[in-house]
Amino acid sequence: MATIEHSEIVSAAPERVFALLRRVEDFADYSDLIERIEPLGDERYRWYVHALKMDWTFDVAVVEASAPTTLAWKSLSGVKNQGRYHLERVPEGTEVTLTLSYEIGSRLMEKAVNRAATPLVSKVSRQILERVEARLDNGD
């Protein structure tokens, strides 16, 4: 499995950041690549993503939600992946670290995706956290 990690500081308390990250279906509002997210019930969600000139659909389940420090998930279908947001209080607010691991069945395809995935995941993570911070600044 390939693993990508990205950290950002959000100028808000971990409790406020976690509350927004916990609303998984809102992630479609936080990134241009996430077309929509359908809640399936029982902490499961279907994600529709357009990235690397391809459409990706996968189901995920939230496997840990420990406010205000950890939100973790794993895929149930589609691209095999698992991820975790770890939130830590810092003087400037909250350091949010995303760790994302994924596996693509084809080695050739995985090599191509790996080259593009690291900057793409960093960009998407930054975009998500910037939009979360903007919502927090607007009183959400």
Side-chain angles (χ1 to χ4, degrees), residues 51-96:
L52 306 173
K53 298 183 181 180
M54 297 175 63
D55 291 319
W56 308 81
T57 302
F58 50 92
D59 292 353
V60 301
V62 172
V63 295
E64 182 180 356
S66 302
T69 60
T70 307
L71 179 64
W73 64 92
K74 70 174 184 176
S75 63
L76 302 172
S77 68
V79 175
K80 185 176 181 180
N81 71 88
Q82 59 190 30
R84 171 179 304 273
Y85 276 112
H86 176 74
L87 289 73
E88 183 174 331
R89 188 178 305 275
V90 294
E92 303 90 342
T94 303
E95 181 175 23
V96 181

Side-chain angles (χ1 to χ4, degrees), residues 1-4 56-61 73-83 99-106 109-110 113-114 117 121:
M1 262 191 162
T3 299
I4 300 169
W56 308 81
T57 302
F58 50 92
D59 292 353
V60 301
W73 64 92
K74 70 174 184 176
S75 63
L76 302 172
S77 68
V79 175
K80 185 176 181 180
N81 71 88
Q82 59 190 30
T99 304
L100 178 67
S101 300
Y102 64 92
E103 185 176 318
I104 297 174
S106 158
M109 180 73 141
E110 190 163 317
V113 170
N114 286 346
V121 168

Side-chain angles (χ1 to χ4, degrees), residues 4-90:
I4 300 169
E5 189 169 286
H6 176 258
S7 292
E8 285 281 317
I9 304 267
V10 176
S11 58
E15 295 79 9
R16 293 183 66 214
V17 176
F18 183 87
L20 285 186
L21 292 176
R22 184 67 181 96
R23 295 181 352 210
V24 175
E25 59 276 7
D26 288 353
F27 272 68
D29 297 336
Y30 303 149
S31 173
D32 298 334
L33 299 179
I34 303 169
E35 294 182 349
R36 71 183 189 278
I37 299 171
E38 294 176 6
L40 302 174
D42 297 324
E43 296 286 350
R44 296 177 303 118
Y45 301 86
R46 179 161 297 139
W47 290 57
Y48 297 88
V49 176
H50 183 79
L52 306 173
K53 298 183 181 180
M54 297 175 63
D55 291 319
W56 308 81
T57 302
F58 50 92
D59 292 353
V60 301
V62 172
V63 295
E64 182 180 356
S66 302
T69 60
T70 307
L71 179 64
W73 64 92
K74 70 174 184 176
S75 63
L76 302 172
S77 68
V79 175
K80 185 176 181 180
N81 71 88
Q82 59 190 30
R84 171 179 304 273
Y85 276 112
H86 176 74
L87 289 73
E88 183 174 331
R89 188 178 305 275
V90 294

